[in-house]
Amino acid sequence: MSSYASISSDKLSRLIGTAYAPILIDVRIDDDFAADPRLIPGATRRSHSEVQDWASQFTGQTVVVVCHKGQKLSEGTAAWLRHHGVAAEILEGGQTGWRQAELPTVPADKIPARDGRGRTVWVTRSRPKIDRIACPWLIRRFIDPAAVFLFVTSAEVQSVAERFNATPFDIENVFWSHRGELCTFDLMVEEFGLATPALQRLATMVRAADTARPDLSPEAPGLLAASLGLSRMYDDDLEQLAAGMLLYDAFNRWCRDATKETHNWPTNKVKP
């Protein structure tokens, strides 16, 4: 039975991928995680037994706690979080219920190692246009909301990756890059297990705009124009990324919820 302190898989799935998604904390024990080493998009793992040590990091924020079946571990962890001033809910049915609903999950072994503050760190070429804005958006909305992105000179991406333990993307000869006809965004959607109809449609838009194939998507010219416009508006790549997050939020919601909507301006009829 649901309660004021729980959220359904359906409702949570509508929040994930938006700017309003709660923080997701997976507290499954190691044995349960080993049996299903995948995460709900955006979730991070923490130990329920250490909740008193890390709870205060989330004071004033909204959290959903996930355990194996949505019972004792998530209930107890959420209660401790509320004790620390966190608006904490549990996921009804836990990871098991989410999987039974056939909702997307991310293979944990595809997520790069996190730094000392629990963040994934990524590095790519400076002056992003399309793929290098779309990929950070996907990562922050579905993989790691706290992800850090370093934009550096093209020739130094690999060296910066090695020296700063960052994951390179959208450059030649690395895992997270173009592959065949697919662009980097396509690859991330597939590899992270996020191939929902909405994200596949968005991926086609990104590929069409990024690889000069407007025939693939009628929306691609608009995405290209907006992306090039943003690149002219901002000299700072991080400011451009912040603006681009809103752009991709809008395209994602259109792909998910509004592709069938039309806007018809009423015709002015002249009276005889």
Side-chain angles (χ1 to χ4, degrees), residues 81-115:
L81 287 170
R82 290 193 291 271
H83 178 73
H84 284 267
V86 180
E89 298 177 304
I90 69 165
L91 175 62
E92 295 173 12
Q95 181 83 359
T96 299
W98 183 271
R99 294 282 271 171
Q100 288 174 345
E102 299 182 346
L103 293 165
T105 54
V106 177
D109 61 359
K110 292 292 176 68
I111 301 174
R114 298 173 185 270
D115 68 3

Side-chain angles (χ1 to χ4, degrees), residues 8 10 24 30 58 86 93 108 114 116 118 124 148 179 194 199 206 213 238 240 258:
S8 68
D10 181 65
L24 302 178
D30 291 343
F58 302 99
V86 180
R114 298 173 185 270
T124 191
V148 174
R179 191 176 297 175
L194 298 172
L199 285 178
V206 171
R213 290 287 309 279
L238 294 177
Q240 183 186 342

Side-chain angles (χ1 to χ4, degrees), residues 168-195:
F169 71 99
D170 204 47
I171 63 168
E172 293 183 356
N173 303 316
V174 300
F175 181 81
W176 299 109
S177 191
H178 287 228
R179 191 176 297 175
E181 293 187 354
L182 301 181
C183 66
T184 309
F185 187 85
D186 283 301
L187 183 70
M188 288 190 173
V189 168
E190 292 294 332
E191 293 286 346
F192 283 133
L194 298 172

Side-chain angles (χ1 to χ4, degrees), residues 120 122 135-145 147 149 188:
T120 57
W122 305 75
C135 292
W137 171 83
L138 185 78
I139 291 166
R140 282 193 175 161
R141 291 291 185 251
F142 293 92
I143 304 301
D144 176 17
F149 295 95
M188 288 190 173

Side-chain angles (χ1 to χ4, degrees), residues 20-132:
Y20 312 105
I23 295 168
L24 302 178
I25 300 178
D26 187 318
V27 296
R28 287 178 290 163
I29 61 174
D30 291 343
D31 286 347
D32 288 336
F33 181 74
D36 181 15
R38 302 178 71 91
L39 295 164
I40 293 173
T44 56
R45 290 195 72 212
R46 289 183 179 266
S47 171
H48 73 279
S49 63
E50 298 173 359
V51 61
Q52 295 180 62
D53 297 326
W54 51 261
S56 60
Q57 298 176 28
F58 302 99
T59 299
Q61 301 183 66
T62 301
V63 169
V64 171
V65 184
V66 181
C67 69
H68 182 47
K69 292 185 177 180
Q71 297 174 347
K72 55 185 178 295
L73 292 188
S74 53
E75 286 277 7
T77 302
W80 268 112
L81 287 170
R82 290 193 291 271
H83 178 73
H84 284 267
V86 180
E89 298 177 304
I90 69 165
L91 175 62
E92 295 173 12
Q95 181 83 359
T96 299
W98 183 271
R99 294 282 271 171
Q100 288 174 345
E102 299 182 346
L103 293 165
T105 54
V106 177
D109 61 359
K110 292 292 176 68
I111 301 174
R114 298 173 185 270
D115 68 3
R117 297 185 182 182
R119 307 168 297 184
T120 57
V121 181
W122 305 75
V123 60
T124 191
R125 297 170 288 139
S126 58
R127 305 311 301 144
K129 299 295 187 299
I130 300 169
D131 226 0
R132 284 167 288 146

